[in-house]
């Protein structure tokens, strides 16, 4: 007899990866729970303009709402709660979320990342409207605009040079407390006609939904229409350090071509894993892959021949 207190699958995260996995698991008729902390990248509210099937674009929030309704249609249960502890027991996995403990035979980790935003006041309110982080997603927005890039490394310089596809009006702002690109990298900026400035943002003045000016701590003023933060992100994998789940040096989860991790019954999908392309479309694909792999191991041994 099935253990009613044991979920066949628990999915952590309700971004495109987690929701895609949930839809598949629901359609596989697996008892599935999604634990949603509510603060993933989908919650930023920006309009995604490169996801197939939405000619006018779709906000992350709208896509999340649609995906959740779709999964719920197939019997998936959602709980708005943040996971604070993960471990194993004899039947699979135990997850602490709030005051409740949830047990699962399989686990799909789709918890995403935490973006490292600049720390000037109200920066978070600008995300998705005036402040962005991904050139693949939003480089198109910068075409012929005055672009201010916040960066602190040679890798940031490399990305900044790629923006030349869209605009020639670029300023690179380096906060030296966060690091500094090398001399050769700074020389490449100069050769490309990109202005290099060192300083720290004090505030961004927005009027009538447009950036009017960027004020630095030393009161200098920079002109910009759009700001990109290239400070990077941190994968939400700190809770996995006590499990035998192989992580890359940067904390991302190592997966194979079927989104399986090094731990049996444990799968990963989306921005938290080690795949290169962290996009909505690839997250949805990886969620589907992880669900299919998890569903396979839930079959009795005779059915897996």
């Amino acid at each position: 007899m099935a253990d009613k207190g044991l979920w066949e699958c628990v999915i952590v995260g309700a971004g495109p990866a987690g929701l895609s996995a949930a839809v598949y698991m629901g359609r596989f008729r697996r008892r599935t729970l999604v634990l949603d902390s509510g603060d993933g990248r989908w919650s930023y509210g920006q309009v995604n303009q490169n996801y197939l099937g939405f000619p006018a674009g779709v906000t992350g929030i709208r896509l999340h709402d649609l995906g959740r309704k779709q999964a719920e249609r197939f019997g998936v249960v959602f709980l708005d709660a943040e996971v604070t502890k993960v471990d194993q027991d004899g039947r699979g996995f135990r997850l602490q979320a709030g005051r409740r403990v949830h047990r699962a035979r399989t686990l799909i980790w789709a918890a995403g990342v935490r973006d490292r935003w600049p720390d000037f006041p109200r920066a978070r309110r600008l995300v998705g409207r005036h402040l962005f982080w991904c050139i693949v997603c939003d480089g198109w927005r910068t075409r012929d605009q005055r672009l201010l890039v916040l960066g602190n490394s040679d890798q940031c310089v490399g990305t900044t040079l790629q923006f030349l596809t869209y605009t020639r009006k670029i300023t690179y702002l380096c906060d030296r407390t966060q690091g500094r690109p090398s001399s050769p990298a700074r020389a490449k900026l100069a050769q490309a006609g990109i202005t290099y400035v060192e300083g720290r943002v004090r505030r961004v003045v927005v009027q009538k939904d447009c950036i009017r000016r960027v004020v630095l701590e030393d009161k200098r003023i920079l002109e910009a229409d759009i700001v990109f933060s290239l400070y990077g992100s941190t994968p939400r994998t700190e809770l996995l350090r006590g499990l035998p789940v192989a992580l890359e040096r940067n904390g991302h989860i190592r997966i194979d071509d079927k989104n399986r991790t090094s731990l049996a019954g444990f799968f990963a999908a989306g921005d938290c894993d080690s795949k290169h392309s962290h996009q909505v479309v690839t997250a949805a694909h990886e969620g589907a892959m992880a669900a299919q792999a998890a569903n396979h191991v839930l079959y009795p041994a005779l059915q897996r021949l």
Side-chain angles (χ1 to χ4, degrees):
M1 182 178 294
D3 183 347
K4 294 299 183 180
L6 181 67
W7 297 95
E8 289 184 284
C9 182
V10 168
I11 299 168
V12 178
L19 291 173
S20 176
V23 169
Y24 274 75
M25 293 306 285
R27 289 175 60 83
F28 290 141
R29 303 190 72 184
R30 300 299 186 182
R31 289 191 70 244
T32 301
L33 171 68
V34 177
L35 297 173
D36 181 6
S37 66
D39 64 347
R41 279 178 164 172
W42 63 264
S43 68
Y44 295 161
Q46 73 207 67
V47 178
N48 187 303
Q49 297 180 342
N50 58 6
Y51 190 63
L52 187 65
F54 295 90
V58 60
T59 66
I61 293 172
R62 174 64 173 157
L63 196 60
H64 170 271
D65 292 346
L66 289 171
R68 179 161 174 164
K69 290 177 182 177
Q70 187 174 357
E72 288 175 333
R73 176 188 169 203
F74 300 117
V76 174
V77 177
F78 284 77
L79 180 63
D80 297 329
E82 184 173 357
V83 175
T84 55
K85 185 178 180 181
V86 186
D87 57 22
Q88 293 177 278
D89 62 18
R91 300 291 302 276
F93 302 94
R94 290 166 45 90
L95 297 96
Q96 181 82 39
R99 296 183 178 181
R100 300 177 61 181
V101 174
H102 305 278
R103 297 166 56 231
R105 290 180 60 191
T106 63
L107 178 58
I108 298 177
W109 197 264
V113 299
R114 291 185 182 88
D115 288 296
R116 294 192 288 269
W117 296 112
D119 60 1
F120 60 83
R122 301 182 180 179
R124 181 64 177 77
R125 296 185 184 183
L126 300 181
V127 176
R129 295 168 51 236
H130 307 292
L131 177 61
F132 301 90
W133 77 93
C134 174
I135 186 173
V136 176
C137 303
D138 295 300
W140 172 261
R141 298 175 186 272
T142 70
R143 60 197 188 283
D144 301 321
Q145 299 290 299
R146 296 173 299 175
L147 170 62
L148 177 63
V149 177
L150 311 180
N152 54 16
S153 68
D154 287 11
Q155 183 178 358
C156 296
V157 168
T159 301
T160 302
L161 293 170
Q162 294 171 27
F163 277 108
L164 292 169
T165 301
Y166 303 104
T167 182
R168 309 296 299 187
K169 296 172 282 190
I170 304 174
T171 300
Y172 183 104
L173 178 62
C174 173
D175 177 356
R176 293 194 62 173
T177 66
Q178 303 292 325
R180 191 188 193 206
S182 66
S183 295
R186 298 197 305 272
K188 287 185 178 180
L189 291 174
Q191 292 167 8
I194 295 173
T195 301
Y196 176 85
V197 178
E198 292 188 352
R200 187 180 181 88
V201 176
R202 180 179 181 182
R203 62 193 176 104
V204 174
V205 179
V206 177
Q207 296 175 348
K208 296 182 179 179
D209 204 35
C210 294
I211 293 179
R212 295 305 180 189
R213 59 188 178 277
V214 177
V215 183
L216 304 186
E217 286 192 341
D218 61 7
K219 299 183 179 180
R220 284 179 295 167
I221 293 176
L222 301 178
E223 302 298 328
D225 300 307
I226 191 168
V227 180
F228 262 74
S229 171
L230 302 184
Y231 292 149
S233 61
T234 302
R236 299 184 188 221
T237 57
E238 63 275 5
L239 296 179
L240 309 182
R241 298 290 179 176
L243 295 174
V245 176
L247 303 177
E248 302 292 350
R249 294 176 65 180
N250 61 7
H252 288 269
I253 303 170
R254 191 176 301 163
I255 59 173
D256 66 9
D257 59 350
K258 294 183 179 180
N259 286 75
R260 297 175 296 197
T261 72
S262 58
L263 177 59
F266 191 106
F267 308 85
D271 291 355
C272 64
D273 72 35
S274 58
K275 291 292 181 68
H276 170 69
S277 180
H278 289 164
Q279 295 286 295
V280 173
V281 66
T282 52
H285 164 72
E286 288 181 20
M289 292 290 291
Q292 291 174 75
N295 179 61
H296 183 72
V297 304
L298 289 169
Y299 285 117
L302 289 176
Q303 292 179 275
R304 294 201 300 268
L305 294 176

